[in-house]
Amino acid sequence: MKDEARLALDSIKKDNEELKKIGTDGSPDINAPSTYEDRSVIQNDDGTWDETITEEESPVKKDITQRASELEGFEIDAANYKNLAKIGDNKVIQIIDEINDKKAGIITTVNAAVSAGCSVLTGNGLWGKNGITVGGVVLSAPNTQTVYNTNYPKFTKDKGDIFVYDGLNNYMSDAPFTGITSSTLIETNVGTGFSTGCIVNTGDEIVGLYKTITTDISVGGACAGYLATVNALASEIDTLRDSLGTDWAAGSYVGVVKDTIQVKDKKTGSETMIWSYRNEDEESQQQQEANNNLINNIESQSEYQ
């Protein structure tokens, strides 16, 4: 074998030996003491001396032991923060479900009003470009319909979202924060991701079309009652959105959503540390495999011999 090839093989094999030490005990024959004696000497009132010996846990640990302990600590923290974030996410789901129930209640009330003889006002831009608005509360996505009294605006649900870093659970990725995926917040993904969001009127369509109740005709006061119910439900939706903790005007989160995001920030910090440990192991394994392939190529190529 040519000297150049032999020197290269020696270097690659040494590199592999060092890579094999990552995540393993480099000195298995050496054990760090688990305890040590803490000695103190005090003088008694009669002039004599006493020695006190206390056995303490040794702070000295082998690198492999310390590494495993640190990794376990981050994994425990990540699991605890995820469980805490589940509480916040479940609260968000609960509030959104209540909002959507009240939206469905508005549709039911409108249908009952129309059946009772309360007429529906005609068009002329009644629905507005920003969607259905009742008492200042926006209850649907922006309206694109123009055939009034035929194509009435459709209600859409409020919904929550989960945002996940694609690379954070992929220990072979080049970086933990590459790519972001969003999905609807549901019971099966609570506590996950780095953030929770809530977006009004962007969810699935609620069965039913919104129609405007008028009190311009006399139906024994029934129309006014239906209209009052719709306004009350819209007000309750507004209150629920506020309790969700979203500052819509400022475009920022407060309350439950903000608290949940802060917990997920801590979880993401622990998950990032887990990624760094696991990524180091994966990269070591990949580099060893690449080195072994190169060794085989050098040893098998005739021009290197």
Side-chain angles (χ1 to χ4, degrees):
M1 179 177 289
K2 295 180 180 179
D3 287 343
E4 294 87 348
R6 179 178 53 78
L7 291 172
L9 284 175
D10 287 344
S11 177
I12 297 170
K13 290 178 180 178
K14 288 179 181 178
D15 185 32
N16 266 1
E17 291 302 316
E18 291 302 315
L19 289 169
K20 289 177 182 178
K21 295 178 182 179
I22 295 176
T24 64
D25 192 344
S27 54
D29 297 330
I30 301 175
N31 294 315
S34 59
T35 61
Y36 71 95
E37 292 183 348
D38 183 14
R39 297 172 178 263
S40 60
V41 179
I42 59 173
Q43 186 177 21
N44 300 318
D45 293 338
D46 60 2
T48 60
W49 296 83
D50 282 333
E51 181 181 37
T52 301
I53 302 176
T54 305
E55 190 172 23
E56 302 285 352
E57 182 179 356
S58 174
V60 179
K61 295 181 180 179
K62 298 186 70 174
D63 289 345
I64 183 65
T65 304
Q66 181 65 26
R67 186 180 191 274
S69 177
E70 290 173 354
L71 176 57
E72 181 184 21
F74 290 126
E75 290 175 333
I76 291 173
D77 285 345
N80 288 339
Y81 286 130
K82 180 178 180 179
N83 288 333
L84 188 58
K86 285 181 179 180
I87 297 174
D89 279 345
N90 279 323
K91 183 64 176 179
V92 172
I93 290 176
Q94 174 194 330
I95 294 173
I96 290 176
D97 284 347
E98 290 181 28
I99 289 171
N100 292 330
D101 284 344
K102 292 185 184 298
K103 284 189 175 185
I106 289 176
I107 292 296
T108 299
T109 304
V110 167
N111 290 338
V114 173
S115 297
C118 302
S119 65
V120 179
L121 297 179
T122 55
N124 299 322
L126 271 174
W127 310 123
K129 293 182 179 180
N130 293 325
I132 303 164
T133 302
V134 176
V137 183
V138 180
L139 300 175
S140 75
N143 178 46
T144 59
Q145 299 173 91
T146 58
V147 185
Y148 303 104
N149 290 330
T150 302
N151 294 332
Y152 293 96
K154 298 177 180 179
F155 261 23
T156 46
K157 294 182 179 180
D158 286 12
K159 77 183 186 81
D161 285 319
I162 289 289
F163 299 92
V164 177
Y165 289 121
D166 298 333
L168 195 54
N169 290 322
N170 179 9
Y171 303 129
M172 297 178 66
S173 63
D174 293 332
F177 307 123
T178 53
I180 295 175
T181 298
S182 65
S183 57
T184 301
L185 173 62
I186 55 178
E187 286 79 3
T188 56
N189 64 8
V190 292
T192 62
F194 68 88
S195 183
T196 297
C198 180
I199 309 175
V200 298
N201 306 319
T202 57
D204 297 333
E205 177 185 324
I206 293 179
V207 178
L209 303 177
Y210 184 80
K211 303 175 183 180
T212 302
I213 303 169
T214 181
T215 57
D216 290 347
I217 60 175
S218 176
V219 191
C223 292
Y226 288 125
L227 185 59
T229 298
V230 169
N231 286 329
L233 287 169
S235 178
E236 290 168 8
I237 288 172
D238 194 38
T239 300
L240 282 168
R241 285 175 175 171
D242 287 342
S243 71
L244 187 60
T246 306
D247 187 346
W248 305 108
S252 61
Y253 294 117
V254 295
V256 174
V257 176
K258 180 180 180 181
D259 293 344
T260 303
I261 292 174
Q262 288 179 336
V263 172
K264 289 190 175 184
D265 281 343
K266 296 294 292 183
K267 178 175 70 73
T268 300
S270 296
E271 290 172 338
T272 302
M273 295 304 299
I274 295 170
W275 181 90
S276 67
Y277 281 93
R278 299 299 189 194
N279 175 258
E280 183 181 32
D281 293 338
E282 291 289 346
E283 286 191 343
S284 171
Q285 187 63 38
Q286 288 182 0
Q287 187 59 56
Q288 289 180 62
E289 292 174 0
N291 286 348
N292 288 333
N293 289 335
L294 182 55
I295 289 171
N296 291 334
N297 290 338
I298 292 174
E299 290 179 337
S300 63
Q301 294 294 335
S302 59
E303 61 266 26
Y304 295 145
Q305 306 308 310

